[in-house]
Amino acid sequence: NSIGALLYHIAAVEMDWLYTEVLMRDAPADIQERFPMDMADDVGHLSRWRGEDLAALIERLTFVRQKLIATYASMTQENFRRPRHLAEYDVTPEWVLHHLLQDEAVHRGEIGMVKLLAAQALDR
């Protein structure tokens, strides 16, 4: 995966979990328009994301992160722990936040590895 694909994926996953699981509604148009591609292809590989500079990738992630922080900041403890009943599973905003932190940690490690491999390739 490229760093761009990973940054796009982190933002898309965060947006999806925030709106689908926590808020239980569709994301507004101003958010949806920031995600012109699916997160993954038909076989589950992250969509290849090219041609966008780092500033645009970070802006997308920051925009979604601000929505997530605002949502959680206004949430009562009861709402934070209240299960959302979806077709496939039940989930709480508390668990969603844990899942998002775990997902980002994994992908930050992957980004670090991509950077390390690129630096090693340049040194040859």
Side-chain angles (χ1 to χ4, degrees), residues 13-29:
V13 165
E14 200 164 290
M15 181 272 302
D16 184 58
W17 280 89
L18 174 62
Y19 285 94
T20 302
E21 278 77 5
V22 174
L23 298 172
M24 297 182 72
R25 62 182 169 91
D26 291 336

Side-chain angles (χ1 to χ4, degrees), residues 7-116:
L7 291 173
Y8 185 87
H9 170 77
I10 291 167
V13 165
E14 200 164 290
M15 181 272 302
D16 184 58
W17 280 89
L18 174 62
Y19 285 94
T20 302
E21 278 77 5
V22 174
L23 298 172
M24 297 182 72
R25 62 182 169 91
D26 291 336
D30 67 330
I31 298 228
Q32 289 184 25
E33 69 189 17
R34 292 170 185 265
F35 295 93
M37 292 178 52
D38 289 335
M39 282 187 273
D41 63 20
D42 294 339
V43 294
H45 297 125
L46 293 187
S47 293
R48 299 177 75 71
W49 194 245
R50 294 201 172 135
E52 192 171 46
D53 65 18
L54 182 60
L57 291 161
I58 290 173
E59 189 280 329
R60 178 186 295 107
L61 184 57
T62 300
F63 181 81
V64 172
R65 182 76 38 97
Q66 288 170 342
K67 301 289 186 189
L68 181 116
I69 290 169
T71 298
Y72 276 83
S74 67
M75 197 177 284
T76 65
Q77 184 173 351
E78 292 78 24
N79 196 17
F80 183 65
R81 295 205 166 120
R82 180 179 59 82
R84 275 53 170 173
H85 305 288
L86 304 164
E88 296 88 24
Y89 51 84
D90 294 346
V91 66
T92 65
E94 179 179 32
W95 187 89
V96 167
L97 195 57
H98 168 78
H99 174 74
L100 290 174
L101 290 168
Q102 211 171 21
D103 187 63
E104 184 164 335
V106 167
H107 293 308
R108 282 179 175 249
E110 195 174 353
I111 289 168
M113 183 59 69
V114 170
K115 290 171 63 177
L116 177 66

